[in-house]
Amino acid sequence: MSLSGDMEEYAEVPTVVPAANFDAVADAHALRAAMKGFGTDEQVIIDILCQRSNAQRQAITEAYKKEFGRQDLIADLKSELGGNFENVIIGLMLPTDEYCAKQLYKAMKGIGTSDDVLVEILCSRPYDEIVQIAAAYEKLYGSSLEADIQGDTSGPFQRLLVMALQGLRDNYAYDPAKAEEQAQILYNAGEGTVGTDENAFVEILGHAGQRHAYLIFQEYKKISGKTIEQAMESEMSGELLHGLLAMVKTVHNRPAYFAERLEAAMKGLGTDDDALIRIIVSRCEIDLANIKFEYERMHGKTLLSAVKSEEEAGETSGDYRNALLALIGSA
């Protein structure tokens, strides 16, 4: 579906589901055997951890502690693995909210701020997920996610992220008359004037729930003759544009947004491994099957073949590639 088409209705389909006949103790022993002695049997680690749900991995962690005394599974995995393969496996071992919280912290605490990571996590997820991520962040780092974002960002972009954190979207509103009025306000704030009133876009789109936002986009096209995305791209730039576009695209079709992000991570020279890992690890138990479908529709190739071709180009290799492919599942 194109971004200017109908709002997509779909059931979320994961690629990683709970394993049948699950035995946490047996998995714990198999992992211990794979890491003991000289060398590590990476394939055993992939076969177990890439084919269990997050809840099952947490159960394996508990069983590992009980079976082997003070042994910590994540610490043992870190000592045996390295590079991007380690990043995939450790990412899988963390509860999803904690994993996303760590990604946000990493995005803000390095040199500069990785605005695209903040956008990807905070502007593309429903509020209940954001609440859990924010709670995990505070537990991990002893400071509020909102306060850290306010310290690292500024202006309308900061307001957009804070609104996402505060859950100001009204998901029950559906008012065609108001949508028509708001579309006119957006037109007057952008295309209809010299300069752009970015705050108007932030306030209207930051408050609009999915169904109401879709009405605004349809009305905007009637007024302007352009899609809301085309208008924003001609009127804005930088992190605010990316944040607003993420909100618009996830209203229309969330899996297509992530498919686009995956393609951006792989195209051109080099691979953005952090983005590739983050999206596949964080979406594999939610909607990675939907993302695969959209990726193939948009790019004329399967996500599986795209990741394999990264290996041929020397961008992904060995155990790292095999772990990603296991999470993606069959083409």
Side-chain angles (χ1 to χ4, degrees), residues 186-187 189-193 195-196 198 201 220 224 226-238 241 245:
L186 291 177
Y187 179 78
E191 291 183 85
T193 189
T196 305
E198 295 174 337
F201 281 84
Y220 190 93
S224 166
K226 291 181 179 178
T227 65
I228 191 87
E229 298 97 318
Q230 288 173 318
M232 290 193 302
E233 285 171 343
S234 66
E235 295 291 321
M236 300 179 210
S237 61
L241 172 64
L245 281 177

Side-chain angles (χ1 to χ4, degrees), residues 5-211:
D6 293 334
M7 188 170 76
E8 188 81 0
E9 294 289 340
Y10 65 94
E12 291 180 334
V13 182
T15 56
V16 175
V17 297
N21 305 315
F22 172 63
D23 184 336
V25 172
D27 283 349
H29 278 270
L31 288 168
R32 182 73 182 133
M35 292 185 282
K36 253 173 105 175
F38 292 107
T40 302
D41 191 336
E42 288 87 356
Q43 193 58 49
V44 169
I45 293 170
I46 292 169
D47 289 344
I48 293 174
L49 297 180
C50 294
Q51 293 175 24
R52 304 290 186 272
S53 69
N54 197 283
Q56 289 177 333
R57 290 183 217 114
Q58 304 314 312
I60 293 168
T61 299
E62 287 304 309
Y64 195 91
K65 277 182 192 168
K66 285 179 184 170
E67 293 295 306
F68 305 111
R70 293 168 62 88
Q71 292 286 354
D72 180 329
L73 177 53
I74 289 180
D76 283 358
L77 287 165
K78 282 183 174 179
S79 73
E80 295 292 326
L81 311 178
N84 286 318
F85 179 48
E86 177 187 331
N87 293 337
V88 173
I89 297 301
I90 300 306
L92 290 171
M93 294 307 299
L94 298 171
T96 305
D97 53 358
E98 190 177 316
Y99 176 71
C100 290
K102 283 178 176 279
Q103 296 297 308
L104 289 169
Y105 184 83
K106 180 180 173 185
M108 289 187 283
K109 296 307 173 188
I111 298 170
T113 300
S114 299
D115 294 321
D116 59 333
V117 178
L118 304 185
V119 164
E120 182 196 294
I121 293 176
L122 297 176
C123 296
S124 68
R125 282 169 166 73
Y127 182 57
D128 60 334
E129 289 181 29
I130 291 172
V131 169
Q132 292 171 345
I133 292 166
Y137 187 97
E138 189 152 0
K139 187 177 176 184
L140 281 167
Y141 303 113
S143 60
S144 86
L145 178 55
E146 185 176 328
D148 284 358
I149 282 173
Q150 287 176 328
D152 262 67
T153 60
S154 60
F157 180 58
Q158 179 193 92
R159 174 71 178 145
L160 185 70
L161 296 178
V162 169
M163 288 174 79
L165 279 169
Q166 292 176 344
L168 298 180
R169 291 190 200 182
D170 184 352
N171 287 311
Y172 298 100
Y174 185 82
D175 185 338
K178 187 177 181 183
E180 187 177 351
E181 178 189 321
Q182 289 175 316
Q184 188 65 56
I185 292 169
L186 291 177
Y187 179 78
N188 294 342
E191 291 183 85
T193 189
V194 177
T196 305
D197 180 358
E198 295 174 337
N199 289 312
F201 281 84
V202 170
E203 290 303 315
I204 289 175
L205 298 182
H207 280 99
Q210 185 175 26
R211 292 174 71 233

